[in-house]
Each structure stands twice: as structure tokens, then as C-alpha cells.
Amino acid sequence: MTNHKKNKVIIWGLILLFAILITIPFIIPHCGFISLFAFIPLFFLENYISTNNVKHKFIYYYSSFILFNVFTTFWVWNASAVGAIAAIILNALQMSIVFQLFCYFKKRLNRKWIAYIAFVVMWLAWEHTYFNVQISWPWLVLGNAFATSPYMVQWYEITGSLGGSLWILATNILLYFAITSKKRCTSIAAIATILIPVVFSTLRYSTYSESDDTIKVLAIQPNINPYDKFGVLPQYEIDDRFIELVETNISPETKFIISPETFTYNINLDSPESNTSFLKYQMLLHNHPETKMILGALTNKVYHTTEKPSVTSIAAKGYWYDVYNTIMLIDSNGVKDYYHKSKLVPAVECTPYIDIFPFLGDVFEFFGGSRSGYATMDDMKPLIDESSNISGLICYESIYGEYARRAVKDGAEFVTIITNDGWWGDTPGYKQHFRYALLRAIETRRDVVFVANTGITGFIDQRGSVKSHTEYWTEATLEDTVNINKVLTPFTKYGDIIGVIACWLMITVALLFIFTLFAKNSRK
């Protein structure tokens, strides 16, 4: 075998090994521990490429992350081919740029370990920033790898998911050093970095107890094909099916009925009673006056103005209107409170930065996306009720841990996530989405009621354990108890401290690196 062919075999073998190892925790239950050594092949790849002066190194790093993204999120293709291609290419590109910067630092710094610290800082800063920009796809934040193994990360109540990202990167680096340097102290440090969080988490998992303050909640999974939901199946049939499921399964103790996302549509926020579906739900609640409903609906607000009132407003004859993806708390008297989805899927539910770049509306519309998108609220807020306040997350919002904790900080005592996960078919997508809710439960120490139209509906306790759940693509109802909690975790109080620190450290590292390069050039 020639050196060229040998190089190709080794390089692509390491690329494939990394992609497989880092994918497994996102796909297979109880395999989160694999992420603690998944990056080792990537570090060996970087060392091999550097040592042998292999050309086009960025292509190999990019290929590694492309495969990771393809293996874990290929299912997006079922909903949008363009969206899948964009998400995979752009997400992998950002990961590759962070890794390429690490390689750049490693080549130019005398103390190589500083480059590894810089890599951790840059990666964490990127993940934190990714949660806070309009064009984001933080589905593959490294800390999410433990969604299949929540018993390993009970300390997310302190750090949030970026604590898991830090743990993964630090452990991989220490294990790589232990293998390459064969120093005993490095091996001890690596073992300690693995065991200490696991031991703490195991103890916390086994000793954590919830209060006895409980309520009963009825979750409805109507199992309506999302592609038949609007314009194919009549809304009155959907409503009648829902009401029948409720009436058959409701109990005198039921405090809340929860529907999936966008279960009905065209509810005017100023006059909801003008909507036939809304009137039916009100009548249902009249028959059960002690029960309230948490309803997913497309709502709208009308503006009788000549000028466009907002970036997202849509023109009609003589007026403008905004459309919202809303979660409503209603009782027999009407709407008690509501929240509009505000973390929107780029290109599908919103056109990012359209206020700065208006032409993007035409671009996204050409590729089948949204021109104006849904209108949003300024921030997350709880649904206020006298019996218990609720954090209502809508679909994609549930992967934003730092954002999701805000309603809990403002008084929410349990969390509900309403979604429609049938767009992707029977793929890992809906399973991943459900599992990420386990992390939100740990971070906030709130029970989570996850209600899907065609995915998995389930109840999750405050340790991130699944109490009960339905099967995929089945019409079902699920009633279970929810434990109310008022105690705030450190993560709920203070948010993503790790990400904030990483961002400041990254700025410091960048300035120091520039200063070092300037000093070296001055001495020449």
C-alpha cells in the first residue's frame, strides 16, 4: 500500500470512528457515556494530519462534522429537503471552524495544552451564542448527548446542558493526553473527571424526592396526520375527535386538559368567541367547571392601520394582521392567559433578520420557506393560574434550556411542552425531541408534561425519569399526576453561567493571542 493510500485509509477510518461514536449517544438509550471518549479519534486525526503534512485538512475536519450531523439529524429531510441540507451544512461548518481555530492555535503555541483549553472555551462560547441568535439549530449541543442517560447528569440543575458539553470536552482531552503521554497523573485526572460527576449524579438521583403537592393532568394525543391537519380534514371533525377523547377519559380530579401544538387555528385574540372551535372547547369546560384547558392554536391579531405595524404583519383588505403560534390557558369563562412561541424555526416559521435584510423574505419564499413568519413575544412568561402556574413551551423551544428556564424563574410550577412531531415520520427525530424534555426537567426540577399530536406523549418527573408515555402514531390519552414545585435551582436562578464565562474567556484568549503574535513579529 502506498503512503498516499495508507493516509487515506487512516484518515477516513478516524473520521468515521469519530462520527459513529459521537452519534451513538444521541440515538441509542443509556449510551451517554460514549460521548466522554468520542472526540479522541478526532484529536488523533488532527495529530496525524499535522505530523504528516496532509493537505486540505479543513475538508477532513468538515467531513467529520458533516457525518455527525447527517447521522443524527438526517430525519429533517422528511419535513424539508432544503431545510435539512441547510441545517447540516451550516451547523457542521460552524463546528469545523471552531475545530480549525483550535488547530491554528495548536500549531502556533509553544504550550500545546493552552490550545486545548482554548478549544473548550471556543466551543462553549459558540454553543452559548448559538442559543441567542435568530439563525440557530442547537439540536446537537454536546450536553444533549446525555438526554438518553439523565441519571448521569443530575447536576444539570446547577450547570444546565453546557455543563455536559464542558464535561465531554474536558474528559476527552484528558483521556487523549493519558493515552499519548502515558503519564500517571493525567490518567488519574481523567478517571477523576469521569467518576466525580457520575457519583454525585447517582447520589442526587437516588436521594432526590418530590413534594406531595400534586394535581391531575389529562394529555391528549389525537394522532392526526400533520399533513392532513389544515385544509384536508375539516376542523369540526378534529374538534369532535378531541372532545370525545376528553369526555371518555376525564376524571373529577382532572385540573388541566392539554392539547398538542396548533390544534386549531384562526382564533382572533380580541374576540376568541368568534371561533367555532373555541366555543366548543368552552362548552366542554362548562360541563367540567373545575377543569381548565391548555390549548395549542394559531391565533391572530388585527391592526386597523394604514402603515405596516410590525415586521411580521401581513396585508389584507384595509387592515393588517399578525399570526402567532400560541399556547392558551382557557376556562369556561374564556381566555385566562396566553403565550406566543418566540423561538421560531429559521426559514420555516420566521425569516431571520428580515428587519435588517428585507430581501431574505424573497429568498426563503423561493425555497418554500416563510416570507414574514409568525409574530413573537418579547420574552418567555408563565401562564398564570390560581391553582398552579405553568411554563408553556411550544415544540422547538424546548431545546433552548436557558430560555426555557425563564418562565420557571418567574413562577411556573410545572412545565408543559406541546408539539407536533409527525412531520419527520418514524425516525429518531421525535424520540430525540422527547428525550431533551428530560433535561429540562432536571435543569428546573419541574415535572414536564410532553404532549404531541403524532409523536410521544408522556409525563416526566423532576429527576428526568419517564413516569408514563404513549406509543408513536397512536390515538391515545394519558392521565397522570404532576408534582408542583416552587423551589428554584441554581440554573433556573442564574442561567447559563458556563456559557457566559466562556464568552468572556474567548474574548480574553483572542486578545492574548493577538498580543502574542504582535510581540513575536515585533522581535523579528
Side-chain angles (χ1 to χ4, degrees):
M1 182 183 292
T2 64
N3 285 337
H4 178 73
K5 288 185 177 179
K6 181 181 177 183
N7 285 344
K8 292 290 185 182
V9 170
I10 293 173
I11 287 171
W12 284 104
L14 290 170
I15 288 172
L16 190 59
L17 181 59
F18 161 73
I20 292 172
L21 289 177
I22 196 61
T23 297
I24 288 173
F26 287 87
I27 302 293
I28 302 175
H30 312 297
C31 289
F33 69 94
I34 293 177
S35 63
L36 298 176
F37 54 84
F39 271 77
I40 293 176
L42 193 63
F43 293 139
F44 274 110
L45 174 67
E46 183 278 327
N47 183 69
Y48 187 84
I49 287 175
S50 300
T51 304
N52 292 277
N53 295 315
V54 177
K55 296 180 179 179
H56 312 300
K57 58 183 69 176
F58 183 78
I59 293 176
Y60 296 121
Y61 303 146
Y62 193 22
S63 299
S64 303
F65 290 110
I66 281 282
L67 288 178
F68 168 38
N69 279 261
V70 169
F71 291 168
T72 49
T73 59
F74 66 89
W75 42 266
V76 177
W77 181 278
N78 289 3
S80 170
V82 173
I85 293 169
I88 289 169
I89 289 175
L90 296 177
N91 204 48
L93 178 63
Q94 293 173 78
M95 293 176 172
S96 304
I97 289 172
V98 174
F99 194 78
Q100 182 65 56
L101 286 172
F102 153 69
C103 298
Y104 182 81
F105 287 168
K106 186 168 177 282
K107 183 178 179 180
R108 283 159 178 79
L109 294 173
N110 293 327
R111 297 178 180 178
K112 304 303 181 186
W113 58 270
I114 297 179
Y116 286 91
I117 294 176
F119 172 55
V120 174
V121 169
M122 289 186 296
W123 191 284
L124 295 176
W126 166 66
E127 287 191 344
H128 176 78
T129 303
Y130 213 22
F131 281 120
N132 296 286
V133 294
Q134 290 185 29
I135 303 178
S136 65
W137 174 241
W139 199 271
L140 297 182
V141 163
L142 293 180
N144 288 345
F146 295 105
T148 60
S149 311
Y151 44 85
M152 293 181 67
V153 288
Q154 294 295 302
W155 38 270
Y156 274 20
E157 65 180 336
I158 302 171
T159 68
S161 60
L162 258 68
S165 300
L166 174 60
W167 189 31
I168 289 170
L169 294 172
T171 304
N172 273 277
I173 290 169
L174 286 170
L175 286 171
Y176 176 70
F177 281 171
I179 294 169
T180 54
S181 69
K182 299 180 181 179
K183 291 182 179 179
R184 186 178 179 183
C185 60
T186 309
S187 300
I188 293 172
I191 293 170
T193 305
I194 294 172
L195 291 181
I196 291 173
V198 171
V199 171
F200 175 86
S201 183
T202 303
L203 290 173
R204 183 64 171 149
Y205 184 85
S206 60
T207 58
Y208 183 85
S209 60
E210 301 187 10
S211 69
D212 295 327
D213 186 6
T214 63
I215 58 172
K216 277 202 170 183
V217 175
L218 178 64
I220 309 296
Q221 181 171 295
N223 196 45
I224 297 165
N225 190 322
Y227 295 99
D228 294 341
K229 204 159 145 188
F230 301 117
V232 178
L233 280 178
Q235 183 63 41
Y236 73 85
E237 287 188 14
I238 296 174
D239 294 336
D240 291 346
R241 184 188 303 186
F242 179 84
I243 291 170
E244 182 180 358
L245 287 170
V246 171
E247 291 287 14
T248 305
N249 295 277
I250 195 170
S251 67
E253 295 79 25
T254 303
K255 291 297 181 185
F256 294 100
I257 304 162
I258 307 179
S259 85
E261 178 190 14
T262 60
F263 190 69
T264 188
Y265 63 99
N266 200 27
I267 295 180
N268 187 292
L269 292 170
D270 294 322
S271 56
E273 293 80 6
S274 62
N275 181 277
T276 304
S277 295
F278 187 87
L279 289 176
K280 285 186 177 182
Y281 304 147
Q282 265 198 300
M283 185 59 66
L284 171 67
L285 295 174
H286 271 295
N287 298 332
H288 305 280
E290 299 302 315
T291 305
K292 300 179 183 69
M293 182 183 294
I294 299 172
L295 172 67
L298 289 180
T299 63
N300 61 75
K301 187 172 182 62
V302 175
Y303 310 96
H304 295 285
T305 60
T306 54
E307 295 184 0
K308 187 173 184 177
S310 67
V311 174
T312 54
S313 296
I314 302 168
K317 291 184 178 180
Y319 63 92
W320 298 84
Y321 67 96
D322 270 322
V323 178
Y324 302 89
N325 187 344
T326 304
I327 184 168
M328 310 179 80
L329 175 62
I330 64 176
D331 63 11
S332 58
N333 295 317
V335 178
K336 290 178 62 66
D337 206 352
Y338 60 82
Y339 163 74
H340 302 311
K341 184 179 182 182
S342 298
K343 287 290 188 181
L344 303 176
V345 181
V348 177
E349 295 179 324
C350 71
T351 300
Y353 304 110
I354 191 172
D355 50 338
I356 302 173
F357 307 107
F359 67 88
L360 288 177
D362 296 327
V363 174
F364 284 113
E365 188 175 43
F366 177 79
F367 287 105
S370 170
R371 167 177 283 277
S372 55
Y374 295 136
T376 62
M377 299 186 85
D378 293 334
D379 204 353
M380 185 71 192
K381 76 177 192 70
L383 303 173
I384 304 298
D385 183 68
E386 56 272 9
S387 60
S388 56
N389 298 332
I390 307 108
S391 170
L393 299 171
I394 304 174
C395 189
Y396 181 70
E397 291 183 318
S398 64
I399 64 173
Y400 291 84
E402 207 282 335
Y403 181 78
R405 62 140 190 132
R406 296 178 192 175
V408 176
K409 185 181 180 182
D410 288 341
E413 296 156 335
F414 76 93
V415 176
T416 182
I417 299 169
I418 63 171
T419 186
N420 189 353
D421 290 343
W423 306 104
W424 314 314
D426 192 5
T427 64
Y430 73 90
K431 297 175 185 176
Q432 290 171 4
H433 193 200
F434 180 74
R435 289 167 183 157
Y436 289 169
L438 277 58
L439 302 181
R440 304 293 84 83
I442 297 169
E443 289 169 350
T444 60
R445 293 301 182 189
R446 294 294 187 269
D447 279 38
V448 176
V449 186
F450 191 98
V451 184
N453 176 34
T454 50
I456 300 174
T457 292
F459 286 74
I460 302 163
D461 70 18
Q462 294 164 25
R463 299 183 304 167
S465 296
V466 180
K467 296 166 62 178
S468 57
H469 69 88
T470 65
E471 298 301 319
Y472 174 73
W473 208 269
T474 57
E475 182 181 274
T477 61
L478 198 63
E479 186 171 57
D480 210 328
T481 57
V482 168
N483 286 64
I484 301 303
N485 188 17
K486 299 178 185 293
V487 179
L488 299 182
T489 65
F491 177 73
T492 302
K493 285 183 181 179
Y494 306 114
D496 182 21
I497 297 297
I498 288 176
V500 172
I501 292 173
C503 287
W504 284 107
L505 285 175
M506 188 180 74
I507 294 171
T508 304
V509 167
L511 291 174
L512 286 174
F513 187 72
I514 292 170
F515 176 78
T516 302
L517 288 179
F518 180 78
K520 283 183 178 180
N521 291 332
S522 298
R523 289 195 294 267
K524 289 182 180 179

